[in-house]
Amino acid sequence: MTGWWRRLFGGGVPEALAGSLERDEHVVASSVLRGGGFLFATSLGLWVPAEDGPRRVGWHLISKVTWGNGVLELIEARETGTAGEAVLLADRPPARYVLETAGKLPDVVHIRVNGSIRSRHRRELPGGGAWFVQRKVPGRDGIVLQVRPDPGADEDAVRRIATEVASMIRQTLE
């Protein structure tokens, strides 16, 4: 494919992601990072640079993303366990990416992250609160309940309430 055709219509997989994408995954936006590297937004998540090569952060595991002054700041969640059918999360430290040219990447990331959220509710608990978020996981059927407690929130209370909420959701869907 000639260079101008590829730039105009896209096509193929970027060399940095060759062999890494799922069969039905496709790149929808990308940006060059200042100092080298890329960010790639795909149908399944945001590919970020890592020591051993790019890695995908699923849209459902991005707790927060902000864009300003050429910097995309990402707070990624990690799964810490389950409570019934709910998935418990904890936030990783923020990662900052300085983009050479933003293009449509910030808009695509914003749309994809918000598009994965079906509902959200904050509940105060002993020692802190927790966010209860129902999200669509890209590439899977159905919705998952994610619970992200504040640091210091009572873990037993979080687990108990998360289990109850997940059970109530399942019952309403049956």
Side-chain angles (χ1 to χ4, degrees):
M1 187 177 292
T2 63
W4 69 268
W5 182 266
R6 177 172 287 211
R7 280 193 303 276
L8 185 60
F9 295 104
V13 174
E15 189 175 318
L17 297 181
S20 300
L21 298 181
E22 297 292 326
R23 190 169 62 89
D24 294 334
E25 184 176 13
H26 56 279
V27 175
V28 293
S30 64
S31 183
V32 176
L33 297 175
R34 185 170 298 150
F38 297 88
L39 291 180
F40 297 100
T42 72
S43 50
L44 298 180
L46 182 65
W47 286 83
V48 298
E51 286 183 19
D52 55 347
R55 69 179 183 85
R56 182 180 56 230
V57 180
W59 297 120
H60 66 291
L61 291 175
I62 298 178
S63 295
K64 183 178 180 181
V65 65
T66 56
W67 166 247
N69 299 320
V71 176
L72 188 83
E73 185 172 275
L74 173 78
I75 298 177
E76 176 185 353
R78 62 183 173 81
E79 295 181 356
T80 61
T82 58
E85 295 178 30
V87 176
L88 303 176
L89 303 176
D91 285 340
R92 297 179 188 273
R96 295 173 44 90
Y97 301 100
V98 181
L99 308 183
E100 280 292 333
T101 55
K104 63 181 183 174
L105 183 85
D107 290 332
V108 167
V109 170
H110 176 79
I111 289 166
R112 296 280 176 154
V113 169
N114 287 335
S116 73
I117 298 169
R118 298 301 185 251
S119 72
R120 64 180 127 205
H121 175 77
R122 177 146 175 93
R123 181 159 180 184
E124 293 305 318
L125 303 166
W131 281 101
F132 291 75
V133 182
Q134 291 184 60
R135 291 182 103 164
K136 170 78 176 99
V137 178
R140 291 192 220 159
D141 288 336
I143 306 284
V144 65
L145 174 64
Q146 298 175 325
V147 181
R148 194 174 67 249
D150 295 340
D154 182 310
E155 289 183 32
D156 291 333
V158 170
R159 286 185 181 283
R160 186 183 73 255
I161 294 168
T163 300
E164 291 170 6
V165 170
S167 178
M168 287 188 297
I169 291 170
R170 182 177 26 82
Q171 289 173 5
T172 62
L173 296 176
E174 291 178 348

